[in-house]
Amino acid sequence: MGKGLVDSLHNEFDIEETWLGFEIHPETPPGGADLSGRYDPDDMAQMKAMLARRAEELGLPYNPSPILANSALALAGAEYARDNGRFPEFHREMLEAVFARGQNIGLREVIAETADRAGLDGKEMLKAIDENRYEERLKKSQDLGHELRVTGVPTFIINDRYAIVGAQPIETFRQIFGRVEEEAGQTSA
């Protein structure tokens, strides 16, 4: 997968990032839900076209899953990866699973495979998930997302002041980060 949005912006701006897991659709069954009857077909076509454009801008492959996956296992797996020093690798592999390989990240075998691809032990990850090791941490993250009024993923919150929701053009991020730098320069002058 090519350079991601955050990787590109790191070259231009001094960014400290923290990724938090948040389930937009926790009601999704473990096996996933068919997207075809869930959303207006025209809206889905527009969204897919927009995501394909964002992927192309960043040089990323785009072959999304046709279902809405339940992300609970993936979010718990991300916490396991964080605890084992492989969060960036797991996160990247998880995005590739969803957007490049079209996999259902609600399936245990996909989580284990993705962990292995990220240099983790997939069986150990599933064991940690089964033991509910990350339940409290994920609950706090979910509560924070509700507090911040997150309505879509990804949501980027910048300096607790600006929120960018969804797969926006990289120029949107450049404008906001430029504004933040300007504001920082004005306060330190």
Side-chain angles (χ1 to χ4, degrees):
M1 197 172 213
K3 273 186 88 125
L5 172 73
V6 175
D7 294 337
S8 298
L9 292 171
H10 271 291
N11 293 330
E12 299 176 46
F13 302 97
D14 182 23
I15 298 172
E16 181 182 324
E17 64 187 275
T18 303
W19 288 86
L20 299 174
F22 184 78
E23 279 189 278
I24 293 293
H25 295 289
E27 75 284 357
T28 304
D34 184 4
L35 284 173
S36 63
R38 191 173 186 117
Y39 299 103
D40 178 88
D42 291 335
D43 291 344
M44 284 299 297
Q46 287 178 13
M47 183 184 73
K48 285 181 179 182
M50 183 268 303
L51 288 172
R53 284 192 305 274
R54 294 296 90 77
E56 185 177 341
E57 288 171 4
L58 296 167
L60 303 174
Y62 182 67
N63 177 34
S65 173
I67 64 143
L68 176 64
N70 181 304
S71 61
L73 290 176
L75 294 174
E79 294 307 317
Y80 175 89
R82 188 184 315 271
D83 284 356
N84 287 277
R86 305 288 297 175
F87 178 83
E89 295 84 357
F90 183 76
H91 187 250
R92 182 172 303 279
E93 288 295 335
M94 191 55 60
L95 290 173
E96 285 190 17
V98 173
F99 295 110
R101 294 191 298 273
Q103 293 180 295
N104 179 351
I105 61 166
L107 302 177
R108 294 173 62 80
E109 58 270 19
V110 172
I111 298 301
E113 173 191 314
T114 303
D116 292 337
R117 286 176 175 262
L120 294 158
D121 183 323
K123 289 179 183 174
E124 286 298 314
M125 177 181 281
L126 291 176
K127 180 181 173 188
I129 292 170
D130 291 343
E131 293 172 355
N132 294 319
R133 288 187 203 167
Y134 307 106
E135 187 174 359
E136 186 59 31
R137 191 184 307 172
L138 289 170
K139 183 185 178 324
K140 286 180 182 178
S141 184
Q142 193 76 10
D143 290 346
L144 178 59
H146 287 299
E147 182 181 317
L148 295 170
R149 296 188 177 107
V150 171
T151 59
V153 291
T155 294
F156 300 87
I157 305 207
I158 302 159
N159 282 13
D160 294 327
R161 183 167 175 192
Y162 302 100
I164 301 173
V165 179
Q168 300 299 320
I170 195 167
E171 195 52 42
T172 299
F173 291 87
R174 285 186 177 116
Q175 290 172 0
I176 296 293
F177 283 122
R179 188 177 307 155
V180 167
E181 282 185 345
E182 278 182 29
E183 291 169 356
Q186 292 172 1
T187 59
S188 64

